[in-house]
Amino acid sequence: MAHTTYLLFLLVWALPILALQWLLGWRKLWAWRRRWPWAVLLVGSYLTLADSLAIAQHIWFFQPALTLGLTLGNVPLEEALFYFLTAAMIAQGFVLLLPASLTPPGSPPRPEAETPVH
């Protein structure tokens, strides 16, 4: 179990929040699915790159006995996953806080937004 310690703590920390977001707001998250994943990809990649530089400069390190041993460059997979899951929770949270009247670009207009023809 030691090699999965970091991963297990990470999943116990993040998955309940992500599940709750999807449980409560799946329609809105699905409607915006062409937008928010790009933010997750951009932010997660940036933070993983910054972490890689910090690890290379010996600013911090990870206990090999607590990780799977898989890496993206010099960044443990669990650490990169931490950044991407964090970015997902934040991006999805912002989407869920958008006003209901705001629709994603390219979506058909909402029926109640249309003006009746007389």
Side-chain angles (χ1 to χ4, degrees):
M1 169 151 157
H3 286 292
T4 60
T5 300
Y6 188 14
L7 180 63
L8 290 175
F9 280 121
L10 176 62
L11 295 177
V12 166
W13 168 75
L15 292 184
I17 302 301
L18 292 167
L20 185 62
Q21 288 177 326
W22 277 92
L23 181 67
L24 298 176
W26 71 269
R27 284 183 179 91
K28 193 179 239 186
L29 291 171
W30 185 253
W32 285 88
R33 70 188 179 279
R34 298 198 194 292
R35 296 293 180 146
W36 63 263
W38 289 107
V40 172
L41 184 63
L42 180 67
V43 171
S45 297
Y46 174 79
L47 292 173
T48 301
L49 177 61
D51 199 39
S52 176
L53 296 173
I55 292 168
Q57 296 295 316
H58 305 287
I59 293 173
W60 57 73
F61 69 97
F62 297 89
Q63 198 67 281
L66 302 177
T67 65
L68 296 173
L70 303 172
T71 61
L72 295 173
N74 63 345
V75 179
L77 178 66
E78 297 91 339
E79 183 70 354
L81 190 57
F82 168 78
Y83 292 125
F84 284 93
L85 289 173
T86 301
M89 288 187 284
I90 293 168
Q92 290 179 175
F94 274 108
V95 168
L96 294 174
L97 292 173
L98 290 172
S101 60
L102 191 60
T103 58
S107 296
R110 294 170 51 119
E112 63 270 11
E114 295 177 8
T115 54
V117 178
H118 294 279

